[in-house]
């Protein structure tokens, strides 16, 4: 774990995403400027600025279970009373929201289980917007297949995500596939960090750097085969 955080501390974000995704979801959700938003599994808070831009007179309650990410996000947002940061478990979120935003983390709970758990935390008319990695093909190449079987054996495709949304008692308002720019917003800072950490890295750190390098290289070589689907959904 120490080696993981050597690579991952103080990065702008912990998964693919860009401000345009948040703006798109807010538009699809018809979000009010005063909206109450939860940023669930916020990591270092890479989406908070865009969420506030979508609801400049609203509030963002951002939470993550990892203390160092919460500390990093708090450092950036402590002066802004429109933001609350909590170290908390996304399975037990408090209060109610116009939008629950979850970028690249719903798989820790599973789509169906997360949507069921969050239903009670949605205000009337509220939505959940979440990005979930998925296959774009029925026949992935060996390299991405091996990578994702190790990282996320339950990974499905857009139809599989839609089925979980329906099973949770929700309907899909709209979906969009995350852009290459969203992926590079995650990978480019990691590329730079890997290059800086390589010289003198011990065995543990080298293993973490190799894994991160393979993840980026695999996406760059096979990005037509998998990606993130962003879904805006609401209870039926
Ligand atoms: C792939 S990262 C995405 C972070 C952030 N949304 C972003 O896009 O930068 C997944 C995040 O989920 C958090 N996480 C995992 N399980 C969690 C849980 N049960 N409750 C809260 N956060 C959790 C991790 O600490 C990590 O920050």
């Amino acid at each position: 774990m120490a080696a993981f955080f050597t690579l991952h501390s103080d990065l702008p974000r912990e998964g693919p995403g860009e401000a345009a995704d948040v703006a798109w979801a807010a538009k699809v959700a018809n979000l009010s400027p005063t909206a109450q938003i939860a940023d669930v599994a916020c990591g270092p808070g890479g989406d908070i600025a865009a969420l506030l831009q979508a609801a400049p007179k609203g509030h963002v309650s951002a939470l993550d279970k990892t203390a160092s990410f919460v500390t990093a996000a708090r450092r950036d947002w402590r002066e802004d009373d429109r933001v609350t940061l909590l170290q908390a478990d996304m399975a037990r979120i408090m209060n109610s929201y116009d939008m629950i935003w979850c970028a690249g983390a719903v798989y820790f709970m599973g789509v169906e289980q997360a949507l069921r758990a969050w239903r009670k935390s949605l205000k009337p008319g509220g939505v959940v917007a979440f990005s979930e990695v998925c296959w774009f093909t029925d026949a992935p190449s060996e390299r991405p297949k091996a990578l994702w079987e190790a990282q996320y054996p339950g990974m499905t495709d857009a139809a599989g995500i839609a089925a979980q949304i329906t099973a949770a008692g929700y309907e899909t308002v709209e979906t969009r596939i995350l852009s290459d720019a969203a992926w590079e917003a995650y990978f480019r800072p990691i590329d730079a960090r890997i290059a800086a950490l390589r010289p003198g890295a011990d065995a543990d750190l080298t293993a973490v750097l190799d894994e991160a390098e393979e993840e980026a290289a695999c996406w760059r070589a096979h990005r037509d085969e998998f990606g993130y689907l962003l879904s805006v959904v609401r209870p039926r």
Side-chain angles (χ1 to χ4, degrees), residues 13-15 41-44 63-66 69 88-90 103-105 108:
R13 54 181 313 120
E14 282 296 314
C42 64
L63 66 90
D64 199 281
K65 72 164 192 187
T66 304
F69 292 152
D89 185 343
M90 66 177 168
F108 285 108

Side-chain angles (χ1 to χ4, degrees), residues 125-148:
V127 300
V128 180
F130 68 94
S131 59
E132 167 83 341
V133 69
C134 69
W135 294 114
F136 298 152
T137 171
D138 293 338
S141 310
E142 279 312 311
R143 189 180 182 187
K145 208 166 136 190
L147 186 136
W148 287 106

